[in-house]
Amino acid sequence: MFTQIIKFTVKPQYQQSFKDALITNKNGTRKEQGNTDMAIFVDNTNPNIFFAYERWQDATAFEFHKNQPYTQDFITLLGDTLATAPQVYKVNDTKPYPVAMTPANPEDDIFSIFFIFPIHSEFRQPLMTQFEDHIQHTRQENGNLLFDLYTVQDDDNTLVVYEHWRKESDVWDIHFNQPYAKITGAIMEQAVVGDMQQYMNFVSEITE
């Protein structure tokens, strides 16, 4: 699999035109035979911040994607619309491997998070080991729809958590009070560089 997560910070005056272009790119990408997932999001507190989660069968499928007209049009647009250079994270799967998202119910108010955080190198292995147990338990929680951990290519000291929940309270009121989450949290307090909150983006999927 070839997976990447991109964070875009857009100039306010281009917010709508960028969103429209992102949707066009998403719609084209999802028709590609080699694409297995493409989702786009906007930050819940800053409408100028967007994310794309993209997953292909392999690097060849991604190269095909880059050469499509809608992708080239989108890349051309970036130069005028972005306030800063896009943050591109090419990521690797970890165990337990990513699985399909649990179907949401009509009444769910889906709460999604991109948590991209730097860690002190000496805590990397203990944290990775704990996350294996953490993920297995988290995926069994009724409120969890998806929980994946990724490492970042060419950056051993940055990790990415990508998660979806049925509602926000499933995270704060239930998940963080689980015994395994408390163990993970204690390690994270030592492992993460600085305040964890600064690395969390709470987002909503753009579906149209």
Side-chain angles (χ1 to χ4, degrees):
M1 287 292 180
F2 181 93
T3 308
Q4 69 176 12
I5 294 165
I6 310 175
K7 180 180 180 180
F8 304 96
T9 302
V10 179
K11 297 174 185 175
Q13 65 268 34
Y14 292 112
Q15 182 190 122
Q16 187 60 51
S17 59
F18 180 86
K19 179 181 177 181
D20 293 341
L22 195 58
I23 292 170
T24 298
N25 183 260
K26 178 198 72 172
N27 291 340
T29 300
R30 283 185 168 178
K31 296 176 183 177
E32 296 173 23
Q33 186 174 1
N35 178 258
T36 62
D37 198 356
M38 172 63 166
I40 56 176
F41 304 85
V42 62
D43 189 271
N44 291 343
T45 59
N46 186 341
N48 300 315
I49 294 178
F50 296 85
F51 283 85
Y53 173 84
E54 309 172 347
R55 192 164 169 89
W56 284 270
Q57 292 176 354
D58 51 35
T60 300
F62 177 66
E63 288 299 319
F64 174 84
H65 165 73
K66 289 198 302 184
N67 292 316
Q68 299 312 297
Y70 46 82
T71 305
Q72 292 296 313
D73 290 345
F74 181 69
I75 292 172
T76 300
L77 179 75
L78 297 182
D80 293 328
T81 60
L82 295 187
T84 62
Q87 295 172 256
V88 181
Y89 301 91
K90 295 178 180 177
V91 299
N92 301 311
D93 296 351
T94 66
K95 294 181 181 179
Y97 294 118
V99 295
M101 183 170 169
T102 300
N105 297 321
E107 66 272 17
D108 290 340
D109 184 19
I110 298 176
F111 184 65
S112 302
I113 305 171
F114 285 100
F115 183 22
I116 305 171
F117 55 97
I119 59 172
H120 299 290
S121 59
E122 64 268 28
F123 290 99
R124 188 180 193 275
Q125 193 52 55
L127 192 57
M128 296 294 293
T129 300
Q130 173 58 24
F131 260 118
E132 286 195 40
D133 182 69
H134 182 101
I135 293 170
Q136 290 174 357
H137 285 94
T138 298
R139 289 176 178 173
Q140 295 175 25
E141 293 183 36
N142 290 332
N144 183 253
L145 299 173
L146 184 141
F147 195 104
D148 292 332
L149 174 72
Y150 297 98
T151 57
V152 177
Q153 292 182 22
D154 303 319
D155 185 355
D156 290 341
N157 296 325
T158 297
L159 299 176
V160 177
V161 174
Y162 175 57
E163 50 192 300
H164 299 283
W165 299 84
R166 295 191 186 279
K167 57 184 181 298
E168 185 173 354
S169 61
D170 288 329
V171 179
W172 308 120
D173 298 343
I174 300 175
H175 174 65
F176 280 134
N177 287 310
Q178 301 305 308
Y180 49 87
K182 291 181 179 180
I183 295 172
T184 306
I187 299 174
M188 293 280 283
E189 287 289 345
Q190 296 178 288
V192 176
V193 179
D195 180 12
M196 283 188 280
Q197 293 288 335
Q198 67 182 303
Y199 306 118
M200 294 181 182
N201 285 95
F202 308 113
V203 299
S204 298
E205 186 172 3
I206 301 169
T207 57
E208 58 181 37

